[in-house]
Structure formats: C-alpha cells, structure tokens
Amino acid sequence: MSVFRFEDVDIYYESHGEGEPLLVLNGIFMSCASWAGFVPTFSAHNRLLLLDLVDQGRSGKVTFEYTQEIQERLVIAFLDYLGLDKVNLCGISYGGEVAIRVAARHPERINKLILSNTTAYTSAWLRDIGHSWEYAMNSHDGHQFFAACIPTVYSPGFYDTREQWAHEREEMFVRMFTPEVYDAFARLTRSAEQHDERANLSRIDAETLVISAQWDFITPLPNQLDLVAGIPRASHVIIQDSGHAAMYEKPAEFTSLVLGFANSDTAKIVID
C-alpha cells in the first residue's frame, strides 16, 4: 500500500513494473482495484501508475464540495511527488475529463494522451444522467444504486449475456458500499457538473488517441467527435459492439490500443 499526502488528504496509489511511465486515471465508480486484471500486461514494458483520485477508492474522503480542478492539482502533485517530469496519461470517463484539464494546462508534463469514453464538456444529457445517479446514491441503497447507475454503462449485448454476473455485482454493492462511499460518489458526480474544456482543447499539444465505443450511452459518439475535432494532434478509433465500459467489454482491443499507442515511436517510422 502506497500513500502520499495531498492537501490534508491521504491519496492511495500503486506503481507496477519499470519503463516509460503510464499513468491511468479512473472512471467515477472505479479505483486502482479495477485494474487488477490489467496489471500484468500493462506493467510488462511500462511503469504502470494507478491513482485513486480524491473521494475515490482507498484515497481519503472529504466533507466539502469541489470541482475537477482539485483532481488536476492532485495529478500534478503526484507527478512532482514521484519526481516525474513527463508521463503518458490515460483517462477513462471521469478520469478522461481530468486528463483533458491536465494536458491543456500542463502540456509540458504529458508525453502522449489517451482519452477513453470521455467528453470535453458535461452536456444536458450527461448532467441529467448524473442527477439520476445522485438520487440513487443519496438513498444509500445498493439495489437502487445498481439499477440507476450500472446497466447503461454496458452495451445491451454484453449485459444480456451476463445476467448472473450482474446480479452478483449488485449483491456485492449491497454488502460492501457504505453511506460514506455513496456520499463520495455523489460529490465526484457533482464535481463534473460544470466540466467544460471545449475552449481549451486547442492547448493540448500531446499526440492524442481518442477511444470511443459504438454503444456508449453515457458519453455518446458525438462527444468523441468533438474531442477529435478540437485536439490538434488527435487520432480516433471506435470499438465496435461495446458500451461505455469498453475496457471490460473488449479488454484485448482496449489493451492493444492503449499500449500500442503509448509505446509506438512514430517519429522513427520512415515511409520510403
């Protein structure tokens, strides 16, 4: 267990392997533990850095409201704490929103940027999804939380073939999630409500890969197209037959895209 102190909050992180650093920022309901199955592959040739943001996972929980600016400060403080000048940065959903902020405001700290199933701004659609999530979180009831927040994270085809798995996850939420966890989820959700980085996308100078999913109902495909249009050096790929949780639905494709992009040196490829 590794912890460092950030603005009076204990922040949990993990470091696996050696090589070019790859820092991964979690989606809103994720934590470092969400990456357990990916660690061997992601750390085979990279130093994999996993970070629980404020109010996430095993990091400290706060009692005040905040915006995603606090998470941006945390990422920079984390890099400084580890003595890292630059990293490859991969952000998933909420973590992608934070990654956009970091890359736009601290371009000198980012080598390559990978944005998966994320958005440059909180649309009315996403805002009201967040409100429905928050109503469920405020109930402190695992069944209500699951019903409101989880099914639409996945594609219909994936979900329909895993009914037993979904039921087991629901029961896990009922057993494990405490009122403190639900309140932290709610603060994280509210922290994204004013997210709007559209005017700052042009400030991102890192080579960027935008990963979309065909059946993403949380951050739909048009949101990804906005990112590609606004980031000067952005490439785009769509994972077919997958929902918002593309990393879980299509782990082989997701892993290949992230590691292939992060570790390729296109500057040395010469076409005769």
Side-chain angles (χ1 to χ4, degrees):
M1 177 176 176
S2 299
V3 173
F4 83 104
R5 194 75 172 167
F6 166 73
E7 298 182 7
D8 296 325
V9 181
D10 286 332
I11 299 297
Y12 178 81
Y13 73 93
E14 297 179 7
S15 178
H16 302 273
E18 298 179 355
E20 186 77 14
L22 172 61
L23 170 60
V24 178
L25 303 182
N26 302 315
I28 203 164
F29 301 138
M30 296 171 64
S31 69
C32 292
S34 304
W35 296 93
F38 293 85
V39 166
T41 302
F42 271 58
S43 63
H45 301 288
N46 292 88
R47 182 184 183 187
L48 173 64
L49 299 170
L50 303 175
L51 179 68
D52 284 343
L53 299 169
V54 172
D55 264 338
Q56 254 188 358
R58 297 171 71 176
S59 285
K61 308 300 183 286
V62 301
T63 57
F64 54 85
E65 297 295 315
Y66 51 84
T67 69
Q68 289 176 326
E69 193 267 339
I70 195 174
Q71 314 289 18
E72 173 200 335
R73 296 201 310 271
L74 167 58
V75 171
I76 297 303
F78 180 58
L79 298 185
D80 290 343
Y81 173 78
L82 295 180
L84 296 173
D85 293 329
K86 289 186 106 171
V87 293
N88 294 318
L89 180 61
C90 175
I92 314 298
S93 192
Y94 181 95
E97 296 172 4
V98 176
I100 291 169
R101 290 188 61 96
V102 173
R105 290 167 175 76
H106 310 274
E108 74 284 356
R109 309 302 295 268
I110 307 303
N111 182 23
K112 290 186 178 181
L113 178 65
I114 302 162
L115 303 172
S116 180
N117 302 95
T118 193
T119 177
Y121 72 105
T122 299
S123 64
W125 169 274
L126 184 54
R127 180 199 64 215
D128 288 345
I129 288 175
H131 288 168
S132 72
W133 287 355
E134 192 172 351
Y135 294 143
M137 295 165 192
N138 290 340
S139 74
H140 295 169
D141 183 292
H143 297 297
Q144 289 192 40
F145 171 76
F146 183 90
C149 303
I150 303 306
T152 53
V153 170
Y154 299 96
S155 66
F158 180 86
Y159 196 86
D160 284 347
T161 59
R162 290 164 175 80
E163 184 176 359
Q164 181 61 34
W165 168 84
H167 175 72
E168 291 171 357
R169 284 185 65 80
E170 180 177 358
E171 294 305 317
M172 181 192 70
F173 294 158
V174 172
R175 292 193 311 271
M176 296 183 60
F177 286 178
T178 65
E180 181 187 45
V181 170
Y182 288 119
D183 291 345
F185 282 158
R187 283 190 297 272
L188 284 163
T189 301
R190 289 193 294 273
S191 77
E193 191 156 315
Q194 302 305 315
H195 166 64
D196 190 346
E197 291 295 306
R198 286 174 289 184
N200 296 317
L201 295 179
S202 62
R203 298 168 57 183
I204 298 174
D205 63 10
E207 189 177 355
T208 301
L209 177 64
V210 176
I211 302 174
S212 305
Q214 183 181 15
W215 304 116
D216 188 342
F217 303 122
I218 308 300
T219 53
L221 186 57
N223 293 136
Q224 323 302 307
L225 299 178
D226 287 342
L227 288 173
V228 177
I231 298 174
R233 301 174 62 199
S235 301
H236 185 212
V237 65
I238 303 172
I239 298 179
Q240 299 298 309
D241 299 319
S242 178
H244 186 68
M247 58 175 283
Y248 290 135
E249 292 194 38
K250 301 286 186 176
E253 291 91 330
F254 177 84
T255 298
S256 297
L257 289 168
V258 172
L259 295 182
F261 182 78
N263 294 319
S264 62
D265 189 350
T266 54
K268 292 183 178 179
I269 297 176
V270 178
I271 301 175
D272 293 327

